[in-house]
Amino acid sequence: MIKVVNKVMMFIYRVHDGEKQFYMLSRPNIPAKDSVVPTGHIGDVIAGEKSMDAAVRELEEELGAEPLSIRELDYKVETLLNMGRIRSLEQAFIIEVADQDYPFLEYEGVDHSWQSLNELEKLLTYESQFSAVTEIRLALGTK
């Protein structure tokens, strides 16, 4: 039986010195040594939770931040994990936060940085994440 996991993919940004900077995690202590945007589960903590509510909750839990604005992107991705035993369905959000730094609170050994959208697109490890950059550009009206 395939387990279905619903998740949010969060493209968190701040406006710093007039430029949009996006929050990226680097996980050097896992075998893949990947670079990702934060994600989180929908409905694992609160039964019947909506995806937008999960994105706000995860932002608060993982960064201790509150959104200035949040928008659901027209970008959903399905990924099979664990040799096809888990089907992950992710909904992408773009979230603006205040211009300050936010440590990643969820796990130790995870570094974070702020990147331009162009750099984020180059540095993200997984296609399911860097492919969303087109939708982010459309949503923000940027090139």
Side-chain angles (χ1 to χ4, degrees):
M1 180 173 199
I2 296 176
K3 178 181 178 179
V4 177
V5 177
N6 293 301
K7 297 178 75 176
V8 291
M9 181 186 316
M10 299 178 292
F11 291 88
I12 301 162
Y13 76 96
R14 68 182 182 182
V15 178
H16 183 74
D17 293 334
E19 300 291 326
K20 290 179 179 71
Q21 297 178 332
F22 288 80
Y23 195 86
M24 186 182 78
L25 301 173
S26 298
R27 304 185 295 188
N29 296 329
I30 66 167
K33 296 181 175 144
D34 58 4
S35 296
V36 298
V37 295
T39 63
H41 291 265
I42 302 169
D44 284 3
V45 176
I46 301 167
E49 183 176 43
K50 303 289 184 215
S51 59
M52 176 108 34
D53 296 331
V56 171
R57 178 184 52 75
E58 290 287 348
L59 179 69
E60 292 171 352
E61 289 175 2
E62 295 184 3
L63 276 65
E66 294 184 17
L68 296 177
S69 68
I70 183 168
R71 187 175 350 172
E72 185 173 330
L73 293 172
D74 187 21
Y75 185 82
K76 295 178 183 175
V77 65
E78 178 179 332
T79 307
L80 292 176
L81 307 168
N82 200 8
M83 298 187 339
R85 291 192 289 261
I86 298 173
R87 191 171 124 215
S88 175
L89 304 170
E90 292 184 81
Q91 171 62 56
F93 288 86
I94 185 165
I95 304 170
E96 183 179 2
V97 295
D99 181 16
Q100 66 184 58
D101 199 21
Y102 299 91
F104 187 66
L105 304 173
E106 195 74 14
Y107 303 106
E108 290 185 25
V110 176
D111 300 321
H112 76 279
S113 61
W114 294 93
Q115 304 291 334
S116 70
L117 190 55
N118 288 336
E119 284 300 308
L120 184 73
E121 185 176 31
K122 292 176 195 171
L123 294 170
L124 289 173
T125 302
Y126 303 106
E127 183 180 1
S128 62
Q129 292 191 351
F130 65 72
S131 292
V133 171
T134 300
E135 289 300 321
I136 294 168
R137 283 191 172 89
L138 288 171
L140 295 175
T142 61
K143 296 181 183 179

